[in-house]
Amino acid sequence: GENVEQHPSTLSVQEGDSAVIKCTYSDSASNYFPWYKQELGKRPQLIIDIRSNVGEKKDQRIAVTLNKTAKHFSLHITETQPEDSAVYFCAATDSWGKLQFGAGTQVVVTP
Amino acid sequence: EAGVVQSPRYKIIEKKQPVAFWCNPISGHNTLYWYLQNLGQGPELLIRYENEEAVDDSQLPKDRFSAERLKGVDSTLKIQPAELGDSAVYLCASSVGRGSGANVLTFGAGSRLTVL
């Protein structure tokens, strides 16, 4: 089945700096890669996603890049703000269409 | 739109007791998922329904866990008997189930279970 690894597990950044989270996946048939943000005690919420026919997608301060050859994808947050502090999860679909989540990255943005 | 509704939000029980969680998905979402989330970890799929049919329950511990989705709308997840290791957040999610939105999941707020 699909195996998704996510790094780093924790990330501290100064407000205004950029944050990058990286994920790798194992199933070459994976074709959908969403990112979820989960604030403490709240539900995971989809913030951006990318499909395998696209290399990069951007939405305001967040962007995702996908390298199918290397089987890795990354989340980029620019001009970080305190409200960006949360746990971020990457995920990838396996060949059965099932989403496999990474272990999460705790992002802390310090003012 | 109400979103995915789950209840109860919190449940504390003693080990060996039964517990049940309820989920109401977004109207029109054919696919319903139950996920388990342990502290500090990503969600892990327990079971996925396409309408009323369980199409993936390979990760559901069937000796103590059961689920149903009668009429293809609401779903319940039951644990009987509960063990200490079952303490976790049980997340329900739903998706359109087909087309470009097939894997776009909307999660509920979760049911936090504590087994004493």
Side-chain angles (χ1 to χ4, degrees):
Chain A
E2 177 73 277
N3 183 42
V4 177
E5 295 191 357
Q6 183 171 348
H7 301 279
S9 57
T10 58
L11 180 60
S12 292
V13 295
Q14 288 280 91
E15 183 177 359
D17 287 351
S18 295
V20 180
I21 304 170
K22 298 181 179 181
C23 288
T24 60
Y25 61 97
S26 60
D27 189 342
S28 57
S30 293
N31 59 11
Y32 177 64
F33 308 90
W35 287 88
Y36 284 82
K37 174 183 180 182
Q38 187 173 29
E39 297 177 26
L40 188 63
K42 296 190 176 181
R43 72 192 73 194
Q45 291 195 301
L46 179 69
I47 56 171
I48 195 167
D49 57 10
I50 192 168
R51 297 191 183 271
S52 57
N53 58 346
V54 176
E56 184 174 357
K57 185 176 178 181
K58 189 174 181 180
D59 183 2
Q60 299 182 343
R61 294 187 298 107
I62 59 173
V64 57
T65 59
L66 171 65
N67 184 326
K68 287 178 58 181
T69 303
K71 288 189 279 189
H72 68 71
F73 56 113
S74 301
L75 178 72
H76 304 251
I77 307 173
T78 58
E79 301 173 23
T80 54
Q81 301 169 4
E83 53 263 39
D84 294 329
S85 295
V87 179
Y88 292 81
F89 294 99
C90 64
T93 51
D94 64 13
S95 52
W96 298 97
K98 183 170 76 176
L99 269 181
Q100 186 71 36
F101 285 82
T105 297
Q106 174 76 61
V107 173
V108 178
V109 180
T110 53
Chain B
E1 189 173 83
V4 178
V5 180
Q6 290 188 246
S7 69
R9 288 294 317 277
Y10 306 93
K11 189 72 175 180
I12 301 174
I13 60 172
E14 293 188 347
K15 62 180 180 181
K16 300 185 181 180
Q17 293 300 304
V19 63
F21 306 114
W22 174 82
C23 174
N24 177 245
I26 290 175
S27 178
H29 280 197
N30 297 323
T31 307
L32 183 145
Y33 312 75
W34 282 102
Y35 281 87
L36 166 72
Q37 187 174 28
N38 286 305
L39 187 64
Q41 297 183 24
E44 301 172 30
L45 182 68
L46 289 172
I47 190 168
R48 174 168 63 113
Y49 282 94
E50 296 286 349
N51 298 303
E52 63 273 9
E53 182 183 0
V55 297
D56 184 355
D57 63 356
S58 57
Q59 299 297 104
L60 190 72
K62 298 181 183 64
D63 57 336
R64 298 183 300 107
F65 286 65
S66 64
E68 60 181 12
R69 192 185 184 196
L70 301 176
K71 302 181 181 179
V73 181
D74 295 358
S75 177
T76 56
L77 176 70
K78 298 178 182 178
I79 308 174
Q80 182 172 12
E83 296 179 352
L84 295 176
D86 297 332
S87 295
V89 176
Y90 291 84
L91 291 165
C92 180
S94 69
S95 69
V96 172
R98 57 175 60 87
S100 60
N103 291 313
V104 180
L105 271 59
T106 300
F107 283 92
S111 294
R112 181 178 296 275
L113 173 66
T114 301
V115 182
L116 303 176

